Amino acid sequence: MSESQSSAEAVFVKRVQDLVLNFENLPKSYIYDEGGPGFKHALSPSEGIPVIDLDQIIPPITSQNELAKLKEALNSWGCFQAINHGMTSSFMDKVREISKQFFELPKEEKEKYARGPNDIEGYGNDTTFIESQKLDWADRLYLKVHPQDKRKFKFWPEIPNDFRDTIVEYTEKIRLLNEVICKAMAKSLNLEEDCFLNEYGDNDEIIMRLNYYPPCPMADQVLGVKPHADGSTITFLLQDKEVEGLQVLKDNLWYKVPIISDALLVNVGDQIEILSNGNFLSPIHRVVTNTEKERLTIAMFCIPDIEKEIKPVEKLVNESRPVLYRPVKNYTEIFFTYYQQGKRPIEASKI
Ligand SMILES: O=C(O)CCC(=O)C(=O)O
Ligand SMILES: [Fe+2]
């Protein structure tokens, strides 16, 4: 093994939870020399990230006003805080709690679910693609949670013992919310309500990522997650109840995403930007770290059948808005290849 390979491997096996205990030897790949206070002092948007009341857009009620708000939110921010989504606050707490309990397990127990060097699924830290890559200050558990026959239970924790049932229940709720939001997005653009849903094909998937961010002594030079846009159609993020960290880029400025009790943050990903021919924008976002407090979030990425060709829906292509994206297939693969080269994956599709 060459020296560079062995040092990449050394970073690969170190969990961030362990790095905290030996912080003096923090590998350089975690440090942004240009960091500075900008990481922490993002703007708080005066009008706030848009809040959408799902009660107003789920049939039988369809408020045209709320649909217009949704369209505007996804056109300008690419995200919104969803309220009245039907999940109880105690269920959301339960999802957070079992996730937290997993990261609190002894190291040996967690390592039973470790992903191998070539796996995407499982427990681990940021995936190292190239030696020069910056690393995220986060440990993760990455699982394909839908469809049922693609679940690899060898990566699903057995402790806490209600982990599996809770995640299965949460997945089902997110699957239904994805349908509701896809329909509302289509209606907001005057399209037939199944227009986006039909593009998912028969074998759509949901990937879950538990993100655990330990406290970080160098919060102004280390990022929880580097700037990126999601490769999903829609991402649902259950935020930590108390600790903020997520920031969204809009008009070249970073804005904090505040915590709204019981809200779910919904953002569209690159595949909706393509399907909507750029009417909805997949926002670039990043996560900052916190010197004192740990933070835990649960991201659910909804993605279409990987065999399905994704391209702008015909009704959104016209003289004033010509086609802006080329067809793509298996976006997850494109995503990792481009990401690896430090490019935005959506460039693979932009005309
Ligand atoms: O933890 C967060 O606030 C966001 C995580 C995220 O962007 C992701 O997992 O893609
Ligand atoms: Fe993300």
Side-chain angles (χ1 to χ4, degrees):
M1 201 188 262
S2 74
E3 202 177 305
S4 67
Q5 268 173 319
S6 61
S7 62
E9 196 58 16
V11 170
F12 172 75
V13 294
K14 278 275 180 222
R15 309 302 178 211
V16 175
Q17 264 179 305
D18 299 331
L19 291 175
V20 190
L21 307 174
N22 186 10
F23 195 76
E24 308 77 61
N25 297 321
L26 184 70
K28 271 192 112 32
S29 39
Y30 282 93
I31 302 171
Y32 289 77
D33 293 328
E34 75 284 9
F39 276 9
K40 281 190 286 184
H41 300 290
L43 303 170
S44 299
S46 53
E47 77 282 25
I49 305 278
V51 176
I52 303 290
D53 182 351
L54 296 194
D55 250 359
Q56 302 287 312
I57 56 171
I58 298 180
I61 301 173
T62 309
S63 148
Q64 290 308 321
N65 194 20
E66 206 66 11
L67 282 184
K69 258 174 73 185
L70 175 75
K71 178 176 160 186
E72 172 56 25
L74 295 180
N75 182 259
S76 54
W77 288 94
C79 64
F80 61 89
Q81 306 256 25
I83 56 165
N84 289 328
H85 42 63
M87 262 185 266
T88 61
S89 145
S90 63
F91 182 68
M92 292 167 92
D93 283 347
K94 169 111 191 186
V95 176
R96 290 189 187 99
E97 191 52 34
I98 52 136
S99 306
K100 190 151 174 253
Q101 281 168 351
F102 170 72
F103 288 102
E104 282 168 352
L105 292 174
K107 185 175 169 53
E108 313 75 66
E109 184 60 32
K110 287 188 296 242
E111 293 297 337
K112 288 185 189 164
Y113 308 98
R115 69 173 161 76
N118 298 318
D119 289 329
I120 293 185
E121 281 187 71
Y123 164 68
N125 57 346
D126 200 6
T127 318
T128 321
F129 294 113
I130 41 170
E131 188 78 3
S132 59
Q133 179 193 313
K134 289 289 178 210
L135 289 176
D136 294 343
W137 186 259
D139 289 335
R140 300 185 173 125
L141 179 65
Y142 203 101
L143 300 174
K144 189 173 286 183
V145 290
H146 173 80
Q148 208 171 336
D149 61 1
K150 293 225 182 116
R151 291 177 186 152
K152 292 187 189 147
F153 282 114
K154 65 173 181 178
F155 293 121
W156 288 53
E158 281 172 288
I159 311 176
N161 60 19
D162 44 359
F163 183 93
R164 294 183 177 190
D165 287 349
T166 309
I167 294 305
V168 167
E169 191 179 341
Y170 187 55
T171 302
E172 190 50 27
K173 291 185 194 301
I174 292 293
R175 212 175 60 73
L176 296 174
L177 277 178
N178 177 61
E179 282 185 24
V180 166
I181 289 170
C182 279
K183 286 183 180 179
M185 288 193 311
K187 282 196 272 188
S188 80
L189 294 170
N190 295 320
L191 301 168
E192 279 165 36
E193 67 171 14
D194 285 338
C195 178
F196 290 131
L197 274 180
N198 289 342
E199 300 300 324
Y200 276 72
D202 296 329
N203 298 305
D204 65 302
E205 295 182 354
I206 303 179
I207 314 282
M208 178 179 83
R209 184 151 93 169
L210 304 185
N211 298 303
Y212 175 72
Y213 309 97
C216 178
M218 281 173 81
D220 47 10
Q221 276 182 293
V222 175
L223 283 179
V225 186
K226 57 183 98 47
H228 69 285
D230 294 343
S232 56
T233 39
I234 301 185
T235 305
F236 293 86
L237 186 78
L238 179 52
Q239 287 220 73
D240 192 282
K241 231 178 155 171
E242 284 159 20
V243 184
E244 284 181 3
L246 180 60
Q247 301 181 348
V248 177
L249 190 68
K250 180 176 180 273
D251 305 328
N252 267 329
L253 295 171
W254 288 104
Y255 289 92
K256 291 181 187 174
V257 178
I259 293 167
I260 300 185
S261 171
D262 294 341
L264 265 180
L265 183 82
V266 180
N267 68 268
V268 290
D270 292 354
Q271 300 200 59
I272 283 288
E273 179 168 326
I274 298 169
L275 287 169
S276 73
N277 199 23
N279 278 285
F280 297 149
L281 296 179
S282 169
I284 294 183
H285 51 286
R286 69 180 185 186
V287 176
V288 296
T289 46
N290 189 294
T291 338
E292 276 125 46
K293 294 178 182 158
E294 61 181 8
R295 177 169 183 266
L296 184 129
T297 64
I298 297 118
M300 301 287 266
F301 304 100
C302 298
I303 53 174
D305 188 336
I306 56 171
E307 294 300 327
K308 190 97 168 105
E309 192 175 67
I310 298 297
K311 59 179 191 304
V313 302
E314 267 172 30
K315 287 198 175 140
L316 296 174
V317 177
N318 50 45
E319 256 171 41
S320 62
R321 184 179 278 270
V323 66
L324 297 175
Y325 303 86
R326 265 186 289 277
V328 286
K329 226 183 195 184
N330 195 353
Y331 197 74
T332 309
E333 201 171 288
I334 296 175
F335 191 86
F336 283 115
T337 315
Y338 270 66
Y339 200 64
Q340 210 166 345
Q341 298 164 0
K343 293 194 266 185
R344 264 202 83 180
I346 200 152
E347 298 303 331
S349 174
K350 271 194 184 151
I351 292 178

